[in-house]
Amino acid sequence: MEDTDVIDQLLRTPATWAVVGLSTNRARAAHGVSAYLKGLGHTIVPVHPTAPTVHGARGYARLSDLPEPPDVVDVFVNSTRAAAVVDEAVGVGARAVWLQLGVHADEAVARARAAGLVVVQDTCPAIEGRARGLG
């Protein structure tokens, strides 16, 4: 699939999105983007070391703590930590990984794609969704 097709499918198909880096801090981009995704009908699962409840959803300290694999892992950590998150997403059986604007982990992305995951890198689902008239 072309990147635009992948993005369309991920945004338009209701799914469980594990948002890594999502906290209760409303000033952080992860908070607003996850609210946008929830508004599109996606289930949001916060993943943060302090495991806060965000948008009414119970948080988990790491992806491996989730009771079932998420469909999409949305990566809101900096590039130096992103590879570990991508590798963990592969390990827990996620279907896709979305790395936010400015987040790069090229070698981990290659490993994820080799493992059969769909990967979107260096873009934002809220920006992409609004550009498509969603939400």
Side-chain angles (χ1 to χ4, degrees):
M1 275 191 281
E2 297 290 322
D3 278 350
T4 56
D5 292 339
V6 167
I7 290 169
D8 282 343
Q9 183 178 16
L10 290 174
L11 292 174
R12 293 177 190 276
T13 305
T16 298
W17 287 59
V19 183
V20 179
L22 176 56
S23 71
T24 56
N25 185 344
R26 293 176 181 264
R28 304 287 299 196
H31 200 277
V33 171
S34 59
Y36 173 79
L37 290 167
K38 185 175 179 180
L40 292 181
H42 298 290
T43 300
I44 301 303
V45 179
V47 179
H48 188 278
T50 62
T53 296
V54 185
H55 303 305
R58 176 185 172 197
Y60 295 87
R62 60 193 142 284
L63 290 171
S64 59
D65 294 338
L66 273 65
E68 59 187 50
D71 297 305
V72 182
V73 174
D74 194 357
V75 183
F76 271 100
V77 299
N78 66 43
S79 295
T80 61
R81 295 181 43 220
V85 174
V86 172
D87 289 338
E88 189 177 9
V90 171
V92 301
R95 174 173 73 76
V97 176
W98 189 306
L99 288 86
Q100 288 294 323
L101 280 172
V103 179
H104 298 272
D106 295 333
E107 291 178 12
V109 163
R111 290 190 297 272
R113 287 186 172 136
L117 277 71
V118 170
V119 180
V120 176
Q121 185 172 218
D122 193 26
T123 191
C124 173
I127 292 170
E128 294 293 333
R130 289 181 180 121
R132 290 164 170 75
L134 302 174

